[in-house]
Amino acid sequence: MTQLSTRPLATAAPGPTGRLRALLTMSGDPMDYFTGLRDQYGPVVRVPLGMRDMFLVSDPEAVHEVLVTSHRHFTKATMGAGRGTWEAPLSVIFGNSLITSDGDLHRKQRRLIQPMFHHERIAGYGRAFAELSDDIQAGWKDGDRLDLSVEMTELTLAVVARTIFDVSLDSDVARTVRTAIPRDEGPMRWDSLPFARYLAKLPLPGNKRFFAGRDRLDAIVYRLMAERRQGDGQGADLLSMLLAARDADTGEPMEDRQVRDEAISMLMVGHETTANALTWSYHLLGNHPEARERMHEEIDEVLGDRLPTIADLPRLTWTDAVFSEAMRLYPPIMGMARRSLEDFELHGYRIPKDSFVGIVPWVIHRDPQWWPQPERFAPQRWLKDPHPADAADELTGHAVAPGRPRLAYLPFGGGPRQCIGTAFSRMEGVMALATLGRDWEFEPVPGFTVDHLARITVRPRHGLPVTARRR
């Protein structure tokens, strides 16, 4: 990194013209557009968008500069923020949580919350991961037509309801999350667009439904907080831990509003990202029966007819590789945005003050420079030790090979703002695949085309219909 005040101006980044075209593409499917920009213009592309430019950064070393080395020269941003203010549209639901906050508040909250996601504490949730995965398939019958997008959302909602609030899937909390906050209406819909904060304030029916649902969810969370305070304060759920947390310097607890913001953020984001990763895993397995059979063989060998435990994870190497490869091809999050606090040089290009820097994992994960045959679903990339079946495959072990930049793979972001629940989500995903894989396989529905929808997360546009087959 070089601050431009100390040297001549760097080169202006290349890029297309036409703000209207960029805006229309962002409101539809931006992934092919961004990938095409990378292919045409290179690792740093100036994209004219809204009131200011966005710089699409896809070189992993440049990404590392923004997210890690020089992260203090950038602030958390959203393309929906207006000029003169950086309020994210997502703040209307997430408040000042880890997802939306920045600076001293973010560092303080991260320090408070990090111990709640220590590996040993997450391991304590392993039994819940397996039991809830087992529960979700109890009503399935051989030959049932299922929408796995819906089923996986129910599963991960059950997991976060149990671990965050210690309530069941049929509780009012889960029912409210399921129905009150529509994913395709209100501020959630506008977040990636310029002027989103203004669109969110219009008296549109979708906006009204969104805010009414948020108010219902708030009422439930504050009620649960009051109930926790009437108890002994020894609960193992994350809400109890948030209430018990104390600042290391002042000894002060979080304010109620802050507890609410963090709890709802974990609840909303925690279940959707993992649900999407599981859904895409089954989509890919359905179209690659050899990979599916290999996963089932591993599950049979490791588990037999019992539920998985955390101790089984080191032996579920292929299952873990399937999950990792699914998140490479279909990252859980659409992208990350930062705003430059000063003129900045990145990868030899000038990034003016107050510009957006956009980092899109989809683009980086499909770069052939780092991922040979990038469109190919190849879980063997993630195997450290060659398997006889992969002896002739040049991709085996590629994901862990030396020389590939670390942030060529960033399904949960990177640096100080990397998702705090990364280990939680990975463990949950592999445990779910192993539990459901003991008894079931899923056949794609003939003639149905699966398309992706990139908003805040990347999910199947019209779900994932399959036929469930009991093994």
Side-chain angles (χ1 to χ4, degrees):
M1 182 277 294
T2 304
Q3 296 180 33
L4 293 178
S5 59
T6 65
R7 55 168 292 168
L9 292 183
T11 305
T17 58
R19 293 184 183 276
L20 180 59
R21 179 189 175 190
L23 178 61
L24 292 174
T25 306
M26 280 289 292
S27 65
D29 177 13
M31 295 311 185
D32 287 343
Y33 178 57
F34 285 151
T35 303
L37 291 178
R38 189 269 322 275
D39 293 343
Q40 182 175 357
Y41 295 105
V44 180
V45 184
R46 181 192 58 79
V47 185
L49 199 64
M51 298 295 291
R52 54 173 56 81
D53 291 337
M54 180 187 80
F55 290 83
L56 176 68
V57 177
S58 57
D59 176 78
E61 296 295 351
V63 170
H64 190 275
E65 183 76 33
V66 173
L67 297 183
V68 183
T69 309
S70 300
H71 70 93
R72 293 183 185 273
H73 295 275
F74 297 86
T75 186
K76 170 79 172 177
T78 171
M79 291 307 298
R83 182 178 292 276
T85 178
W86 301 101
E87 175 190 359
L90 290 183
S91 296
V92 298
I93 180 67
F94 297 139
N96 283 320
S97 68
L98 283 178
I99 293 174
T100 55
S101 64
D102 211 345
D104 291 340
L105 176 60
H106 182 270
R107 286 187 285 274
K108 173 185 175 183
Q109 289 302 108
R110 184 93 183 191
R111 188 171 62 247
L112 274 174
I113 295 172
Q114 189 71 60
M116 303 178 198
F117 288 89
H118 188 277
H119 186 272
E120 291 182 2
R121 190 176 293 279
I122 294 172
Y125 297 134
R127 182 170 181 175
F129 295 158
E131 290 178 347
L132 293 171
S133 299
D134 196 40
D135 290 345
I136 209 73
Q137 55 84 43
W140 298 348
K141 296 182 177 60
D142 187 45
D144 276 356
R145 177 72 62 87
L146 304 173
D147 182 344
L148 281 186
S149 181
V150 172
E151 299 295 333
M152 295 303 99
T153 299
E154 286 290 285
L155 166 57
T156 57
L157 179 56
V159 169
V160 295
R162 170 83 65 86
T163 57
I164 294 176
F165 296 121
D166 195 22
V167 297
S168 66
L169 189 58
D170 60 359
S171 67
D172 55 355
V173 176
R175 286 195 298 272
T176 302
V177 173
R178 189 187 294 116
T179 60
I181 308 296
R183 294 187 294 180
D184 296 323
E185 293 185 326
M188 307 288 274
R189 178 181 183 183
W190 312 119
D191 181 62
S192 61
L193 299 180
F195 317 117
R197 63 189 299 268
Y198 303 110
L199 293 170
K201 293 179 179 179
L202 295 176
L204 302 172
N207 285 346
K208 291 180 179 179
R209 285 190 290 270
F210 178 92
F211 288 112
R214 181 197 63 179
D215 292 343
R216 294 199 302 274
L217 185 58
D218 281 358
I220 290 174
V221 173
Y222 283 120
R223 187 199 77 206
L224 291 174
M225 290 166 59
E227 292 175 357
R228 294 296 186 280
R229 288 197 170 102
Q230 293 173 1
D232 60 12
Q234 300 300 313
D237 58 286
L238 290 172
L239 180 62
S240 296
M241 295 180 202
L242 288 170
L243 290 168
R246 296 293 183 270
D247 185 275
D249 297 325
T250 66
E252 293 295 318
M254 292 185 209
E255 295 182 357
D256 281 4
R257 178 69 188 187
Q258 192 69 47
V259 173
R260 173 264 177 215
D261 291 349
E262 303 295 357
I264 288 184
S265 296
M266 294 176 193
L267 179 67
M268 299 292 292
V269 176
H271 87 273
E272 174 139 358
T273 53
T274 309
N276 290 336
L278 284 167
T279 303
W280 289 120
S281 296
Y282 283 119
H283 165 62
L284 293 163
L285 289 167
N287 288 281
H288 296 84
E290 72 289 345
R292 182 179 65 202
E293 289 305 311
R294 184 164 167 181
M295 186 181 79
H296 289 152
E297 289 173 3
E298 177 180 84
I299 292 169
D300 292 345
E301 178 182 348
V302 174
L303 302 182
D305 60 357
R306 64 176 175 82
L307 290 177
T309 67
I310 296 300
D312 295 315
L313 292 177
R315 298 178 60 201
L316 293 168
T317 54
W318 182 257
T319 307
D320 182 85
V322 164
F323 196 62
S324 296
E325 181 73 343
M327 290 193 293
R328 183 187 69 81
L329 285 166
Y330 297 98
I333 56 174
M334 174 182 167
M336 294 150 273
R338 299 291 185 268
R339 178 176 63 92
S340 54
L341 296 173
E342 58 195 345
D343 286 359
F344 197 85
E345 181 180 326
L346 185 66
H347 206 70
Y349 295 108
R350 179 174 181 261
I351 309 295
K353 179 181 177 180
D354 281 345
S355 298
F356 289 109
V357 174
I359 299 166
V360 181
W362 177 292
V363 176
I364 300 168
H365 290 184
R366 294 173 183 242
D367 188 337
Q369 181 176 359
W370 313 115
W371 305 99
Q373 303 177 48
E375 303 295 326
R376 179 183 168 192
F377 174 62
Q380 56 268 33
R381 296 181 199 270
W382 301 91
L383 301 182
K384 296 181 181 179
D385 300 316
H387 185 280
D390 306 313
D393 196 317
E394 64 177 8
L395 299 185
T396 299
H398 178 81
V400 294
R404 194 200 71 220
R406 180 178 175 218
L407 290 186
Y409 183 71
L410 63 167
F412 295 100
R417 296 196 67 97
Q418 177 174 312
C419 175
I420 201 168
T422 296
F424 183 103
S425 295
R426 289 194 60 87
M427 191 178 297
E428 177 189 359
V430 176
M431 296 279 281
L433 287 174
T435 302
L436 299 177
R438 293 180 313 154
D439 302 313
W440 297 95
E441 62 184 23
F442 305 101
E443 297 176 355
V445 172
F448 183 85
T449 300
V450 178
D451 188 20
H452 64 269
L453 177 65
R455 287 289 184 263
I456 298 167
T457 59
V458 180
R459 56 187 170 90
R461 185 182 300 272
H462 302 296
L464 181 63
V466 298
T467 300
R469 298 296 183 192
R470 185 173 290 279
R471 294 183 58 216

